[in-house]
Amino acid sequence: MRQLSLFCTLTVFIYYSLFPFAETDMRGSATENFISNNLHFYMSQTTIRHSTRKPVYVHVHLVNRGIEPVTIYLHRNFLRNITFILKDQEGKIVPPKAQIESRESLDKEYYYSNYTQTNFHSRAIVLQPNEIFERKVNLQQVFDLSNAMKAKRQADFSLHAIFYPNPEQMPKYHIFSQNKLDFILQNENSPLPQFIPEATGEEPLALTPEETIYLMLSAEYQARWQSFFKYIRLKDFILAYPIFARKWQKASKREKPYVMRQFKMYLMNQKAQKLHRFEILPRSPKNPEMALAKLEDDREKGVATVKVKAVREYDGFQREFLYTYYLTAIGRFWKVTGVETTLIR
């Protein structure tokens, strides 16, 4: 009997050692464990066609797919909990407005400022298993959509988002939206654009998009940072990094130079992400005529994408990534304005 009791005790000890439960508190799981507890984040919309004269609503959904309660902390201004990344049909990022507190996102109830007798301006929302939290956001309050139309009658946009479960106390924790939203915006106040004849004899751009990426990554490999940064439009590129994107959008004019210095130091951190080698994947067709047509099409649109396979060292291990760089034509040159990364192995 004593041996059986000892065996059961050892079995329970081994089980909890191999499968530890997330650290929890009286309100549910701690914020650090929201990923392991399967908090899912996605967006939806009631229509894909919108007008600049009316609100452009997006529905934000948070679902607890785990088996334990999960706690999120809603800021008094919900726009502090979420960062939207909007791209136009040319792949350019639409800059957000200065951070404002919309009337719809404000709640006047006392518990926002008195939560746990501290000044976090947040309240805790406990999501039970399979429970859904939903909030509606008007994108007109986040972006100047009329200006983003650039006098067009109609334009396509795509929307990504990042959610921060506890933006003030734990701003580094975030969740990417599981989907993106594509929608069409009609500018009913814009007159029909006048036809402008195409200029002739235009001097060709000095560099192709592939050449720009090659020079940028070569400068990084050789740690020539002054050359590296001159190929990047940093105010757009910073929005591709969630932690810095949030800091940049919240920063005042006085704080922005400090945030940008932090971002540059992060990119220059060779110990954390040292580049070993890279390969630019073919983008243009092998046929010379088709390749020339592709280059002229890029010049006309003013945007281009270049894919790169790169090997970097992380914590002593070499890992291979697939990078998709987004470039924008500026004068006779190209500048990198965004990047998406996928781990290959």
Side-chain angles (χ1 to χ4, degrees), residues 107-345:
D107 195 317
K108 301 299 183 182
E109 296 188 31
Y110 68 91
Y111 46 71
Y112 275 104
S113 58
N114 293 332
Y115 171 63
T116 64
Q117 303 301 314
T118 54
N119 192 27
F120 286 127
H121 302 289
S122 301
R123 67 182 173 102
I125 299 292
V126 181
L127 294 181
Q128 300 298 328
N130 296 319
E131 188 175 1
I132 300 175
F133 171 82
E134 181 179 338
R135 177 63 65 91
K136 184 171 65 174
V137 179
N138 180 12
L139 293 182
Q140 296 276 25
Q141 297 173 343
V142 185
F143 302 97
D144 187 352
L145 296 179
S146 296
N147 185 52
M149 294 287 291
K150 299 177 182 177
K152 296 179 181 177
R153 294 284 294 177
Q154 179 174 297
D156 298 337
F157 293 90
S158 63
L159 182 71
H160 298 261
I162 308 167
F163 182 77
Y164 299 83
N166 194 347
E168 288 204 340
Q169 300 174 68
M170 297 179 182
K172 67 178 181 179
Y173 295 108
H174 57 270
I175 314 173
F176 287 94
S177 57
Q178 295 179 330
N179 65 325
K180 71 170 184 175
L181 294 183
D182 296 319
F183 62 90
I184 301 170
L185 192 61
Q186 292 180 319
N187 190 356
E188 299 178 3
N189 297 322
S190 174
L192 291 174
Q194 296 180 353
F195 174 75
I196 301 176
E198 184 178 356
T200 58
E202 180 182 355
E203 189 174 352
L205 295 174
L207 294 175
T208 66
E210 291 88 348
E211 290 170 337
T212 302
I213 296 299
Y214 177 81
L215 292 172
M216 182 192 72
L217 293 178
S218 297
E220 178 186 351
Y221 182 79
Q222 299 172 13
R224 294 184 289 107
W225 299 113
Q226 186 174 0
S227 297
F228 172 76
F229 287 120
K230 76 179 182 181
Y231 298 107
I232 302 174
R233 191 158 71 179
L234 288 167
K235 67 178 182 179
D236 292 334
F237 195 66
I238 195 173
L239 299 178
Y241 294 78
I243 296 178
F244 290 99
R246 182 170 182 80
K247 290 181 179 179
W248 180 256
Q249 292 180 350
K250 290 176 59 179
S252 63
K253 289 185 178 180
R254 180 179 297 181
E255 295 169 334
K256 282 186 182 296
Y258 173 73
V259 176
M260 187 58 71
R261 283 196 298 270
Q262 284 186 314
F263 180 55
K264 285 184 174 181
M265 293 299 296
Y266 171 80
L267 295 178
M268 292 188 293
N269 187 358
Q270 292 287 288
K271 293 183 179 180
Q273 50 184 6
K274 182 175 177 58
L275 177 64
H276 280 272
R277 59 183 180 273
F278 64 90
E279 175 191 359
I280 298 178
L281 302 181
R283 188 176 66 97
S284 301
K286 294 183 179 180
N287 185 301
E289 293 184 0
M290 295 181 64
L292 181 60
K294 173 65 176 173
L295 182 59
E296 291 177 350
D297 184 57
D298 289 339
R299 291 174 180 173
E300 182 179 350
K301 292 181 178 179
V303 293
T305 58
V306 176
K307 293 184 180 294
V308 176
K309 282 186 178 180
V311 176
R312 294 184 180 274
E313 183 175 338
Y314 276 85
D315 298 327
F317 296 94
Q318 291 190 4
R319 300 186 181 276
E320 186 176 11
F321 296 88
L322 175 64
Y323 292 90
T324 301
Y325 289 99
Y326 296 89
L327 299 93
T328 300
I330 299 178
R332 299 176 57 195
F333 298 91
W334 295 86
K335 284 213 170 187
V336 181
T337 54
V339 63
E340 293 178 356
T341 309
T342 303
L343 176 63
I344 299 178
R345 61 178 177 86

